[in-house]
Amino acid sequence: MPVTINRPTTDEYPDYYQNYMKLLPEGDLLFMLEKQASDLRYMLKDISNEQAEEAYAEGKWSIKELLQHLIDSDRIFGYRALCFSRGEEASLPGWDEAKYIHNSFANIRSLESLLDEYELTRRSNMAMFHSFTHEMINNYGVANGRKMKLRGLLHVIAAHELHHLNILKTRYLQKP
């Protein structure tokens, strides 16, 4: 049975996630993470492949690239969660999100394939998150040179996603 994952204190995650964390509502974290996947597919249900290859401004990611970023983030944060839960003591590397997107070639993929991959990645991570014990949730780890608690990391995953869902709503999907 999954444990309740209480909201972290500000010393349980890096300061640079503070603005994301302010977006996160109170409530059941695991439910929020599960709901984000269905919310994303619903948000993009009327978007064509061509529309998904457009950016809202010069130099910004397309919808497909933003979706690829969410996939990459879920994988990387999921790996960090696995490592923290298992007591890994080695410092985990950071990553260059712009380089990852550049090398992903997300715009040559179909929107449907990206959504499918996103949902599979999130479902896989959710299975792992539901297995965490109270002891695991309170483990610390180091990623990108910053110490954080697993509980903080799990909330960062949801908050980071919410940040990007808000960008999708306000900058890509807003009707003129």
Side-chain angles (χ1 to χ4, degrees):
M1 182 160 137
V3 298
T4 300
I5 305 172
N6 296 325
R7 196 172 188 97
T9 58
T10 57
D11 64 333
E12 294 178 343
Y13 57 88
D15 291 343
Y16 52 82
Y17 289 120
Q18 187 60 39
N19 285 335
Y20 291 173
M21 296 296 275
K22 289 177 185 175
L23 300 172
L24 202 58
E26 294 294 327
D28 182 333
L29 177 68
L30 295 177
F31 174 77
M32 280 188 261
L33 286 164
E34 287 174 351
K35 188 174 179 316
Q36 286 175 338
S38 60
D39 287 350
L40 182 61
R41 186 170 286 271
Y42 182 78
M43 284 173 63
L44 299 177
K45 69 180 174 47
D46 296 325
I47 302 297
S48 70
N49 271 306
E50 293 74 27
Q51 290 170 311
E53 292 167 10
E54 297 171 5
Y56 69 88
E58 184 69 32
K60 297 298 183 180
W61 293 339
S62 68
I63 291 173
K64 287 181 179 181
E65 290 169 328
L66 186 133
L67 186 50
Q68 184 66 62
H69 171 68
L70 294 177
I71 294 165
D72 292 348
S73 299
D74 235 43
R75 282 202 167 104
I76 291 165
F77 290 148
Y79 175 70
R80 289 175 178 178
L82 170 69
C83 292
F84 291 6
S85 74
R86 303 307 193 251
E88 178 62 63
E89 295 179 10
S91 180
L92 304 174
W95 57 297
D96 181 341
E97 60 190 32
K99 184 181 245 183
Y100 275 50
I101 291 303
H102 175 76
N103 290 318
S104 74
F105 301 101
N107 283 327
I108 66 171
R109 296 184 57 191
S110 73
L111 179 59
E112 187 68 23
S113 75
L114 288 162
L115 285 166
D116 289 347
E117 182 180 356
Y118 167 81
E119 288 174 346
L120 288 168
T121 304
R122 179 55 62 97
R123 275 201 331 249
S124 174
N125 281 341
M126 290 307 302
M128 177 176 58
F129 299 163
H130 280 288
S131 76
F132 291 160
T133 65
H134 178 72
E135 292 76 22
M136 290 174 183
I137 294 297
N138 288 299
N139 283 351
Y140 276 93
V142 177
N144 199 27
R146 305 288 170 92
K147 184 177 178 180
M148 67 189 310
K149 192 178 266 193
L150 177 54
R151 175 174 57 190
L153 174 60
L154 295 176
H155 280 80
V156 163
I157 294 169
H160 172 262
E161 179 102 359
L162 185 57
H163 164 76
H164 286 293
L165 290 176
N166 287 341
I167 289 174
L168 270 172
K169 285 178 198 168
T170 60
R171 298 190 184 154
Y172 290 88
L173 305 177
Q174 199 170 45
K175 305 292 184 210

